[in-house]
Every structure is written in structure tokens, then in C-alpha cells.
Amino acid sequence: MTWLITGGAGYIGAHVARAMAEAGERVLVLDDLSAGVPARLPDGIPLVQGSSLDGELLKRVLAEHAVTGVVHLAARKQVGESVAQPTRYYQENVGGLATLLDAVAGAGVRRFLFSSSAAVYGNPDVDLITEDTPCAPMSPYGETKLAGEWLVRAAGRAHGIDTVCLRYFNVAGAAAPELADTGVFNVVPMVFDRLTRDEAPRIFGDDYPTPDGTCVRDYIHVADLAEAHLAAARRLASSDAPGSTSGAGGAGDLTVNIGRGEGVSVRELLTLIGEVTGDTRPVLVEPRRPGDAPRAVASAALAAEELGWSARRSVREMVESAWRGWQLHHA
């Protein structure tokens, strides 16, 4: 197998590229470098600068490198930005995926792994979110991920492509400091940023129907997430790929949650960040934000059953590794 990883120089993508390469998989990366950093990639992984919207480039890359499987992570992913720029999100996330799938089908590639999101579920009122929980995304970003899943499955059926869609929950941490998230969009780096600017961290609402009144979320270490991609890629590469009907022209698909299956409240997370950083100042409690679900925790049972994968790292490990990365990049 030769795997093309789109968005492979990004925060999550670089972790996936490293994990797969270190496990002996042959990989190359396509990234437009709008958020990717070439230095994140280890020596020996080819990097092609370009966009998944560039169909001719995709055709050349797939042919020249004899690609046999694709891991598609390239996408815009900020919820607030998607609300302000919905057409851009649909064009890049769905349009880019459509262009990529056309090239994949034309090149005869038969293995496709899609980076989806728990944002497809919206705000379900359930204790654990299973893959059968109805999807009702609450932002254009979530809509593009759900539409992306539909498109991936449809292309799989039409062209005999085996597919896996991974629905990530809240990603944090770093496998190494140099791979840490350099953006300030997710909760852990957002708290680090406020502490660095000598500001108290914030909680948006402490009157939710949860044990301590703050929202509960499922946090997954990015290194565990990378290992989930490796497990899914190997499942696709095997003779018993999900739904595969070897030689019969059929295409299989698998959609799984990627989380720890355990909830952590925002207040618990901020307390842990205070312990790790040594900054234990009181938090500011501000009004609720529209659309925040009281609880969003994955059922991780299907990933264990179908991929033989489960998260191994704790929330403390996530915070400690993220803090080491923050210190490196914000010295």
C-alpha cells in the first residue's frame, strides 16, 4: 500500500503521517500549507504542496506515486468561521472532497479513509453518542462533514471503493512538543493562551444539568487518534476490509466514533490545567454560549469491535503534552 494523506502537515495530519510511517506504511503528504507546517513531517515523507481542489494535480500525484489508498484530512474546521463563511466551507470541504473522489475513482484507488467529526451529531440528548444517534449538525462545518460522509459512501458504492469515516470527538495533546497544536481554537490552547496573557480562564455557563453545572465533553489524545487512523487504514488494506466482497464489485463502508468514551467537565478540565501549569487562579464564569450541548460523550464500543482500537492515554497526559508543546512554541 502507498497512502496519500491530504492535510498531512497539519496538527492532526502530521501525527497520522508519523504514526503510519513509523509503523512501516509507505506514505506521502499533500498539503496547501495554509495551516500545515512542513517541519512537522519526518525525513523521508514526500510533501506535495497543493490543494484537494486541484483535480489535475491530484491525478498526477495519484499516478506518479502509485497511490493505493487515501487518508483525507484536509478541510477547514472552525465552527465560528463556518457560520460567517458558509460558502467557503462548502466549497473547500465538500467541493474539495468531490474533486478528490473523482480523481481517486479515475485512478482505480479502492481504499478511502475520511476525517469526519462529532459535529455531525449536533446537540443530542443522550448519555452516550453511538454511531446510530441521529445526526443534526448545528453549524455549516458540521453540515459539510455530514455531507462529506454521504458523498464518501455514495462514491464508494458507485466505484467499488471501501471506505471508513472516523467521527472525532475533542482532540488535544501532542505526541511530541514540536507537533503541538499552534492554533488557538480548541479549548486547551485557548486556556493556555489566556494564562500566558495573564488572564483568567473562562467557563461559559455553570448551570447545566451536569454534576458540577458545566458542560461535559469527551477528550481524545491526538496520538490515540493517529493510532485509530493506522488501525482503520490497515483494516482497509486487509483482505477482509469492512464490507468487502472480494472480486464481486461491492464496496463496504464503516463509520465509527473516535473518543475515550468518558466524560470530563469543563471545570474538571480547567482544574487539571491549573495543576499542570501551576496557575490555579479562579476561573471566570460567563453566560452560556448558544448551541453548547450539556453533554457530548462518545460510545467507543464500535471502534474497539471493528478496528481493535481503544484510547490508551489519559486526559492528564493530553494536558501535560499540550503544555510542553505550548511552552516550546510560545517561549
Side-chain angles (χ1 to χ4, degrees):
M1 293 290 295
T2 297
W3 292 94
L4 171 65
I5 304 176
T6 69
Y11 164 53
I12 293 174
H15 279 88
V16 173
R18 282 201 181 195
M20 293 183 68
E22 289 174 357
E25 300 292 335
R26 191 162 53 236
V27 302
L28 70 144
V29 164
L30 174 78
D31 200 300
D32 66 6
L33 301 183
S34 59
V37 179
R40 286 184 172 133
L41 296 173
D43 294 338
I45 295 182
L47 170 63
V48 178
Q49 184 172 354
S51 168
S52 56
L53 289 162
D54 188 339
E56 292 304 313
L57 173 63
L58 293 172
K59 292 175 185 176
R60 289 198 303 272
V61 170
L62 293 173
E64 290 174 3
H65 294 271
V67 170
T68 50
V70 173
V71 180
H72 182 50
L73 295 102
R76 304 201 68 82
K77 62 176 186 176
Q78 303 307 324
V79 170
E81 184 183 60
S82 78
V83 173
Q85 303 177 38
T87 55
R88 182 183 186 186
Y89 268 66
Y90 272 86
Q91 179 184 30
E92 296 195 23
N93 290 6
V94 182
L97 174 60
T99 302
L100 175 59
L101 285 168
D102 275 342
V104 162
V109 177
R110 293 295 177 261
R111 300 291 182 265
F112 197 92
L113 174 54
F114 177 59
S115 163
S116 189
S117 168
V120 300
Y121 294 115
N123 187 357
D125 184 17
V126 294
D127 186 52
L128 287 179
I129 298 173
T130 74
E131 290 78 2
D132 293 326
T133 299
C135 292
M138 299 179 67
S139 68
Y141 166 68
E143 292 167 3
T144 64
K145 285 300 183 181
L146 183 57
E149 289 187 11
W150 294 339
L151 182 55
V152 165
R153 296 186 197 111
R157 291 190 297 271
H159 302 292
I161 303 169
D162 283 311
T163 65
V164 174
C165 297
L166 301 182
R167 292 174 174 171
Y168 311 167
F169 279 67
N170 298 272
V171 184
E178 63 271 18
L179 296 183
D181 190 357
T182 56
V184 187
F185 304 107
N186 298 319
V187 61
V188 173
M190 287 175 67
V191 174
F192 290 165
D193 180 58
R194 289 187 66 84
L195 296 179
T196 301
R197 291 188 284 112
D198 199 30
E199 297 176 4
R202 295 179 293 179
I203 290 175
F204 294 97
D206 64 352
D207 58 349
Y208 286 93
T210 60
D212 65 14
T214 66
C215 294
V216 173
R217 295 291 182 266
D218 190 330
Y219 296 93
I220 177 76
H221 196 299
V222 67
D224 283 327
L225 177 62
E227 291 170 4
H229 283 78
L230 174 62
R234 287 187 164 170
R235 172 71 182 269
L236 283 169
S238 69
S239 58
D240 60 341
S244 179
T245 56
S246 180
D253 66 84
L254 177 67
T255 299
V256 295
N257 292 333
I258 302 298
R260 294 175 64 248
E262 299 177 7
V264 177
S265 76
V266 174
R267 190 177 292 280
E268 289 172 329
L269 180 66
L270 295 189
T271 298
L272 180 55
I273 290 174
E275 293 172 3
V276 169
T277 63
D279 191 326
T280 58
R281 74 184 74 195
V283 302
L284 297 176
V285 177
E286 299 191 359
R288 293 187 184 191
R289 296 180 300 189
D292 276 348
R295 178 180 173 87
V297 179
S299 167
L302 190 63
E305 176 184 345
E306 296 288 345
L307 302 179
W309 170 91
S310 59
R312 299 186 293 115
R313 296 163 180 86
S314 68
V315 179
R316 178 174 287 275
E317 288 177 278
M318 291 179 222
V319 173
E320 289 174 343
S321 63
W323 180 235
R324 287 192 293 271
W326 181 267
Q327 290 176 303
L328 174 66
H329 292 290
H330 298 83

